[in-house]
Amino acid sequence: MKEIDWANLSFGYMKTDYNVRINFRNGAWGELEVSSDEHLNLHMAATCLHYGQEAFEGLKAFRGKDGKVRIFRLEENAARLQSTCQGILMAELPTERFKEAILKVVKLNERFIPPYETGASLYIRPLLIGTSAQVGVHPADEYMFVVFVTPVGPYFKGGFSTNPYVIIREYDRAAPHGTGIYKVGGNYAASLRANKKAHDLGYSCEFYLDAKEKKYIDECGAANFFGIKNNTYITPKSTSILPSITNKSLMQLAEDMGIKVERRPIPEEELETFEEAGACGTAAVISPIQRIDDLENGKSYVISKDGKPGPICTKLYNKLRGIQYGDEPDTHGWVTIVE
């Protein structure tokens, strides 16, 4: 293996040694299979290709100062995948089978887990697809569950630093009572045009308002939003938003710190009242928001006056990262140690 520059990893794909697979056929999940092939053999009429029967998750493994490898909130990812399966009628993978696959693939690729001091991690991508051949629009009767891993650096090049966002009204990522609450590929395909427009305008990411009225905050690209004011952590409540495991964790940590937590609709104009704000998700943990520009209305909501992450965002970020790397006590039982 050529020497990996751990400290300068991008957030991208790198070939690792093995992936694992479990097939669902004849109404039952089969045995776990190990593969070194990066490709899948799919029928051209597979439902994942035509009707979007596809779901995925994202989680990470971290090497601690003590040498132990920790996986963060494994059961939550299993539960969210099961929720997605219910939403688009796919066979549900039991939590124990999900855990078996994740632990196996991490152990098999242990040499790709970045060293502690680099701040990098091993990204784990579970994927579930409908594989049976059919041309009618109905659920598949065969599925493939695949998990691969790749070492990654920070999602944003600057790491934990503030970023500018822009409100884009002409495209919606998801609609109320649609698939926004499920982690399906179609939601991300729907975000590509808005994301490209934001990047072309010089912003880190696009910022979505609710699809129905364009009045309330929904998401920051593919991440959840939260704002801080008056010692309160406020995050949107909407039927279009993916339930972020990172956001759920941050809400708990905020409560542990004596910060009040509110989940409620947040009107756009409330942005000018926040002392701090961030986008949160598995990839970046927290990306603090410097400002949010509303170009159509000629407004700029400057959250960080000095351009630096705020004290509460910093404290939450350090606490969560500390739990993931084993530097902070895991009082909520969020971490699975790979034996």
Side-chain angles (χ1 to χ4, degrees):
M1 182 172 89
K2 67 179 176 62
E3 198 60 37
I4 295 172
D5 184 2
W6 298 112
N8 293 300
L9 281 175
S10 65
F11 194 90
Y13 176 76
M14 177 188 293
K15 185 182 188 306
T16 51
D17 291 335
Y18 300 102
N19 58 79
V20 298
R21 308 170 184 200
I22 307 175
N23 286 291
F24 181 89
R25 295 190 185 104
N26 302 315
W29 289 100
E31 292 301 309
L32 184 143
E33 300 167 20
V34 175
S35 176
S36 56
D37 188 352
E38 293 175 278
H39 300 92
L40 305 177
N41 186 14
L42 273 181
H43 194 285
M44 61 185 177
T47 60
C48 62
L49 300 176
H50 298 266
Y51 305 124
Q53 271 206 303
E54 178 272 347
F56 68 99
E57 279 296 323
L59 61 161
K60 287 180 175 179
F62 306 84
R63 193 183 297 280
K65 195 188 302 183
D66 56 7
K68 291 181 180 177
V69 175
R70 293 168 174 82
I71 301 172
F72 188 68
R73 305 210 75 174
L74 180 58
E75 290 84 0
E76 285 290 328
N77 286 95
R80 190 168 64 181
L81 181 63
Q82 289 157 5
S83 171
T84 298
C85 289
Q86 292 162 20
I88 61 169
L89 300 184
M90 295 201 293
E92 286 182 48
L93 185 75
T95 301
E96 280 310 306
R97 300 304 309 275
F98 183 92
K99 188 172 181 178
E100 172 196 5
I102 302 298
L103 290 174
K104 184 75 172 178
V105 79
V106 170
K107 283 181 191 174
L108 287 170
N109 294 288
E110 194 165 347
R111 69 194 185 103
F112 290 95
I113 304 172
Y116 167 76
E117 64 277 3
T118 61
S121 55
L122 187 74
Y123 188 77
I124 306 165
R125 170 51 60 86
L127 172 70
L128 179 61
I129 54 175
T131 53
S132 49
Q134 57 198 57
V135 290
V137 184
H138 55 87
D141 51 29
E142 293 185 357
Y143 297 88
M144 182 190 291
F145 179 67
V146 183
V147 191
F148 66 84
V149 299
T150 184
V152 295
Y155 188 73
F156 291 110
K157 285 179 184 174
F160 185 66
S161 58
T162 60
N163 289 290
Y165 287 75
V166 61
I167 292 172
I168 303 245
R169 286 184 176 81
E170 61 196 291
Y171 307 117
D172 296 314
R173 180 177 183 269
H177 309 296
T179 58
I181 58 170
Y182 308 122
K183 200 165 176 68
V184 295
N187 296 341
Y188 296 83
S191 74
L192 294 176
R193 287 181 73 185
N195 185 258
K196 183 180 186 304
K197 181 172 181 177
H199 286 166
D200 288 349
L201 291 168
Y203 294 92
S204 290
C205 210
E206 74 278 19
F207 197 88
Y208 294 103
L209 301 178
D210 75 285
K212 186 178 180 182
E213 298 180 90
K214 302 291 185 186
K215 285 183 181 178
Y216 300 96
I217 294 163
D218 252 10
E219 294 204 287
C220 314
N224 277 193
F225 169 84
F226 69 88
I228 306 281
K229 66 176 180 180
N230 305 324
N231 200 45
T232 306
Y233 180 108
I234 305 164
T235 194
K237 185 174 185 180
S238 161
T239 55
S240 306
I241 295 173
L242 183 74
S244 162
I245 294 163
T246 304
N247 196 6
K248 186 175 182 179
S249 306
L250 291 172
M251 284 189 266
Q252 181 62 62
L253 293 179
E255 285 186 346
D256 294 349
M257 293 173 186
I259 298 168
K260 188 181 172 189
V261 172
E262 291 180 2
R263 252 189 98 225
R264 58 171 173 79
I266 304 171
E268 181 199 330
E269 55 270 22
E270 192 174 346
L271 286 171
E272 59 194 9
T273 69
F274 288 119
E275 299 152 17
E276 302 178 43
C280 61
T282 298
V285 182
I286 293 175
S287 171
I289 295 172
Q290 195 270 319
R291 72 180 196 277
I292 301 165
D293 290 347
D294 182 348
L295 300 180
E296 286 179 53
N297 293 321
K299 289 183 181 177
S300 183
Y301 302 100
V302 180
I303 311 284
S304 172
K305 307 294 188 282
D306 62 1
K308 296 175 183 174
I312 293 177
C313 278
T314 302
K315 196 173 178 183
L316 286 168
Y317 176 83
N318 288 337
K319 182 74 174 176
L320 188 59
R321 295 268 290 176
I323 294 168
Q324 290 173 333
Y325 282 97
D327 296 331
E328 293 272 353
D330 176 26
T331 54
H332 295 291
W334 288 344
V335 165
T336 301
I337 294 176
V338 180
E339 302 294 348

